Amino acid sequence: MKPIDRIQETAQKIKSMEIRGAGRIAIAAASSLKDFAQSVDASSQEEFDSEIKHAAQILLDTRPTAVSLSNAIRMVTKSSANSLDGAREAVIFNANRFIENSQKAVEKIGQIGSRRIRDGDTVLTHCNSLAAISVISTAHKSGKHIKVIATESRPRFQGITTIGMLDDLGIETELIVDSAVRSVMNEVDLVVVGADVITANGTLINKIGTAQIALCAHEARTSFMVAAETYKFSPRTILGELVTIEEREAQEVLPEIHRYKHVRVRNPAFDVTPHHYIDVICTEAGAIPPEMSYLLIRERLGWEMEE
Ligand code: RI2
């Protein structure tokens, strides 16, 4: 298979959600760019740079919301090399560093976030987030007895992946339909969710249904935690850019849609949770109030976003 075909293959897997989860798509993009840099033919640095740019664009065009993808690609392709070999090595080095840091970040988030879970707590989670599961599993491994309530997360049922992972770890779970969140909220001590994007003012963009859960938690005075690596924060929102919410195909919600003449299915994959419903964002750089997102972006992700 040609190097660019392997990029196309990874892009297709990200698009179809065979590879999914904001962190996992970022790692997949980094690792496929590394593989591409190692194998693509180029006779000059200019040619190599333009091949990498082309490959990066194919990966970027897969899913429009998760900023992890564009942050990962920016971090992996950034280089000040002035030779062909140097440019190749830079991509390989950056990709390895990104993947390693990202795995370490999930571990660190687990250590930080799990301090907020007490022995005997009931934790509610939505969708399937490795960062959120790290918080839960670290609490469990430290000997705290916890119960997890997981939503199904229609239409793609990522909640089933979550209960499978927690079950393998020996953690007791209860599965609920998404609309049962209010019915159980009074039994919940803490909600923990992941993030697809966090904006400069601490607004969260995450799996559809998250905003309703946050609203419920707020009304019930239940703590709401976001677990997110720092590369889930969006530098472009400092420049005023709005986050695009991915709208996926109708068949995910209603496979028999072709039977109806006057029905349109709406299938936004993500929704927007205002920062005042969020108690804390646990990152590998520490637990921060959402209002500190602007500073975190400046400090960790920089300003130069024009490229
Ligand atoms: P981690 C997922 O998106 C969910 O919205 C989840 O909360 C988020 O990515 C973060 O997941 P999707 O790919 O990076 O299922 O924490 O649409 O694993």
Side-chain angles (χ1 to χ4, degrees):
M1 207 189 253
K2 283 198 281 181
I4 198 70
D5 293 340
R6 290 205 292 276
I7 291 279
Q8 297 279 14
E9 189 182 53
T10 303
Q12 191 40 45
K13 285 185 182 166
I14 294 174
K15 217 174 191 145
S16 67
M17 293 178 70
E18 186 180 332
I19 300 174
R20 55 145 295 280
R24 280 160 280 185
I25 63 179
I27 290 177
S31 112
S32 69
L33 280 175
K34 172 184 154 184
D35 168 64
F36 186 76
Q38 277 166 331
S39 51
V40 69
D41 270 337
S43 51
S44 67
Q45 188 185 354
E46 290 67 39
E47 195 186 337
F48 175 81
D49 288 346
S50 105
E51 291 280 1
I52 285 283
K53 215 170 161 184
H54 174 54
Q57 196 55 49
I58 294 172
L59 293 165
L60 271 175
D61 289 342
T62 52
R63 295 195 70 191
T65 303
V67 71
S68 55
L69 198 55
S70 54
N71 277 341
I73 289 171
R74 199 159 54 91
M75 289 174 191
V76 169
T77 56
K78 200 169 186 171
S79 131
S80 51
N82 47 22
S83 70
L84 174 57
D85 286 349
R88 257 190 224 281
E89 274 157 29
V91 173
I92 297 164
F93 176 84
N94 291 343
N96 284 336
R97 189 176 53 181
F98 179 83
I99 295 165
E100 200 188 316
N101 285 348
S102 145
Q103 282 152 355
K104 278 193 198 145
V106 170
E107 219 179 291
K108 187 90 194 162
I109 290 166
Q111 288 159 8
I112 294 173
S114 64
R115 297 205 174 101
R116 299 260 176 153
I117 299 180
R118 295 156 307 179
D119 192 29
D121 272 357
T122 296
V123 178
L124 185 141
T125 192
H126 183 52
C127 195
N128 174 253
S129 153
L130 291 188
I133 286 177
S134 176
V135 169
I136 294 166
S137 65
T138 310
H140 169 76
K141 281 177 197 148
S142 73
K144 292 173 189 167
H145 295 93
I146 51 172
K147 182 175 86 182
V148 176
I149 301 180
T151 55
E152 282 181 311
S153 313
R154 284 260 305 151
R156 299 288 300 225
F157 296 101
Q158 289 97 328
I160 307 299
T161 307
T162 295
I163 56 166
M165 287 178 165
L166 297 176
D167 197 49
D168 287 346
L169 294 167
I171 299 173
E172 190 192 328
T173 63
E174 285 175 1
L175 179 69
I176 57 166
V177 296
D178 298 332
S179 43
V181 164
R182 186 62 191 93
S183 300
V184 301
M185 190 54 86
N186 289 352
E187 302 163 28
V188 176
D189 299 289
L190 175 73
V191 175
V192 186
V193 297
D196 286 85
V197 188
I198 298 165
T199 72
N201 74 349
T203 299
L204 167 70
I205 290 88
N206 192 48
K207 183 54 55 197
I208 192 77
T210 303
Q212 272 175 200
I213 297 173
L215 183 62
C216 266
H218 184 73
E219 189 255 342
R221 307 282 185 274
T222 302
S223 297
F224 188 93
M225 177 200 291
V226 179
E229 301 88 322
T230 49
Y231 66 82
K232 310 273 179 69
F233 288 73
S234 168
R236 285 176 185 272
T237 58
I238 289 188
L239 300 178
E241 201 168 280
L242 292 171
V243 177
T244 307
I245 303 290
E246 177 181 7
E247 180 97 28
R248 295 187 61 87
E249 57 271 26
Q251 283 74 9
E252 284 190 343
V253 177
L254 185 64
E256 303 288 285
I257 180 72
H258 59 271
R259 288 191 182 187
Y260 304 90
K261 282 196 219 56
H262 311 290
V263 176
R264 179 179 157 225
V265 168
R266 298 181 61 180
N267 185 18
F270 304 101
D271 63 19
V272 179
T273 301
H275 61 87
H276 50 269
Y277 291 159
I278 300 168
D279 292 289
V280 65
I281 305 178
C282 288
T283 76
E284 73 275 22
I288 63 162
E291 293 77 12
M292 254 187 71
S293 299
Y294 168 80
L295 288 175
L296 188 137
I297 293 173
R298 284 201 61 176
E299 208 178 277
R300 307 282 291 209
L301 298 158
W303 274 103
E304 0 67 85
M305 296 145 268
E306 302 300 350
E307 58 301 6

